[in-house]
Amino acid sequence: MLAAGAREAVRAWREASFAALVTTPEAVVATAFGTLGIAFLYLQVFSPESVNYDAQWNHLVIAQDYAREGRIVPFPGDWVKNVPHLGSVVNTWAFLVPGFDQPALRWMMALHDEFTVFLWTLVTVGAGARYMAERVGLRGAWAALFLFPSLFVHDGNMGCAADHFLAVFAVPIFLSAARFLERLDWRHGALLGTFAAAGLLTKYHAVYLLVPIAALIAGRLLLLLVKHLRGKGPVPSLRQSALGLVAGLGTMLALLSLHFGSNWVFFNNPFFPLAQGSFHSKPFLPGAQLQMDYLFADYRWHPPKELGERVKAALGMVFTFSFKPHYTFTGDKPTFGSLFTLLMPAGFLVARARKLWLGMAIGVGALFVWAMTFWVDRNLQTFLPLMAAVVAATIARVWEVGTMARVGLVALVGLQIVWGGDWYFHGSGRVDNAFTLIRSGLDGKAKTRFDGYRKDYVALGKALPKDAVLLLHDQHGMLGIDRPVLLDWVGFQGVVDYRTLRTPRDVYDRFRELGVTHVAWMPGNRAAAYRQEQVVFDLFAYPLIPNSQSFGGLRVAPLPADPPPIQPELEVVVWKVSKYPDGVYPVSALSVCEEMPEELQHFPEAPHPIDTGSLEGALLHADVALVGDDNQLDDAARKALSFRYFLAQRTGSLAVYSHGPRE
């Protein structure tokens, strides 16, 4: 890329007048505002404490594992790691660069990678604003990105996730699409294909921009065909347009093959973990597509199923998305910034602003596609730079209209800054962490300043042999362990299917088959998705406790050399558990996924129903008692339970009792 742009870069450098970078009072104010935003944002990403939850689970873990293994590797036990992650490939450098003896320093390097990408994103905002405003001398436009305070709010801020790595491509995708729409030649087609592939290789959410762009290109080609048939006006030839389209699609597909080709080799499915209903993926999991649709893509944030209702809701959200948040950690309080919506009418009233209108149209189209698919607000960050560039260009053009227009703009922008003022300080805890780290030398902690960051996970990793494979039960966070990790969390992996496991021996054999050497779990932390999983895993894990080590809340134990005894399928007494009728069940009947929507939860009838009077008798013969509320047991049942069973695990009010002598 440097070589391709070298000649243009040298010419631009020679022609640049650096003395004229800031030439107007408005540009001075914008530059000062933006500089403060950069400084404050930098403090928020300075400390390794700023690595967010998703990065601790997948984004940085991918980079960590690539660096450790020295190659691109598949993640059969973690679906989310197999979607495109160009940001993680970039961050692999942070785990390879020599000279860092502390894992936390590598996490800091990755945070600085992301911050550097963000600085380039500011450059793209300035470039996009100049193009749409058609004002080459426009200064300070990049600062418009800080008029969207969600940058500073949890889940929208930076923390080594993928959103801001995709955001750097938003304006380049728009600019290359705009040039291609103008000329329809193969060079701009190839450039658009390159940026489109870059976006898709970073995160699938690039489709938010690519769908409206594809619609505009299709409309442009259709208009070209109509003009050609009518013989009206000078238009690009059909051959030139077709060549441009082929160059764009060909370039995009060639670059995408880097990811999708590896997925085909690894999983027999180029789109893995998507499209598991269309491909017989390896590993294969019955019902995987259903889990992807409702658990992987959390069903609580799906739009309405009925198409008419979905379109109606999406059209409304195009204009209300910034006023009414959906997936949020701040309650029902708007954080995104509303100037894109509020300035739109003014932008359409500006004369001779076709490029600005194009930016608005693609921005609105991206919002519509987002609202039609998945209502998670942080995904708006992926095309936020385009909206910021539209805002900057609109302000620049409306500013030229006159004094009254300027008064209105100052009031509107001032309202946004005051309205969102609190959100700029939402990450004050991160700033405190940065100052604590900076001050650690003065506090005499220079040699130990990084020891506390994720120390339990780092210690856990060091305690494992180099060739260990860890099974992490019903947990996600794993950054710092630096060993191959498999998950068993329903909806996020396809290698452990507890519906097929009926005894502790089955669990042991499956783990051995996967090459697991150690198991980590957090006793009593959360109820499993399947009650079948709750029973067989708790009974499998209980004998491991004496040989386990504790790292924070996690217990870690080696898989024992001697397997549990072979036994028939467990018979379970179920009492006051979920919507299961009280009774005795084979454990395989307790396979309702209770994390699915209620309409997909179909609870079976009890093969052997019991009531309070017959509970004591049932407890005499079953292998396991699964009790949802001990307080509802009568004295006889309580006595039978205490005499013949021991408590293997309690999770909240749910208790798993095993029949047999206490070990």
Side-chain angles (χ1 to χ4, degrees), residues 558-594:
L559 213 61
D562 298 326
I566 296 175
Q567 64 185 117
E569 179 176 353
L570 297 173
E571 292 289 319
V572 184
V573 174
V574 175
W575 181 255
K576 308 303 179 188
V577 175
S578 306
K579 295 181 181 178
Y580 287 101
D582 295 338
V584 180
Y585 297 76
V587 71
S588 58
L590 307 179
S591 58
V592 176
C593 183
E594 297 183 34

Side-chain angles (χ1 to χ4, degrees), residues 593-609:
C593 183
E594 297 183 34
E595 293 181 359
M596 285 285 191
E598 287 191 12
E599 63 268 20
L600 297 179
Q601 297 181 27
H602 306 295
F603 291 88
E605 295 294 326
H608 305 288

Side-chain angles (χ1 to χ4, degrees), residues 33 50 67-68 90 118 169 212 248 403 429 435 442-443 462 481 583 613 654:
F33 174 69
S50 298
R68 185 188 63 249
V90 172
F118 175 77
F169 295 116
T403 302
F435 285 140
L442 291 174
D443 294 340
K462 290 180 178 179
I481 295 176
L654 183 67

Side-chain angles (χ1 to χ4, degrees), residues 575-576 582 612 615 627-635 637-638:
W575 181 255
K576 308 303 179 188
D582 295 338
T612 304
L615 178 57
V627 180
D629 188 353
D630 293 351
N631 295 324
Q632 295 193 41
L633 294 172
D634 61 21
D635 291 340
R638 195 182 305 277

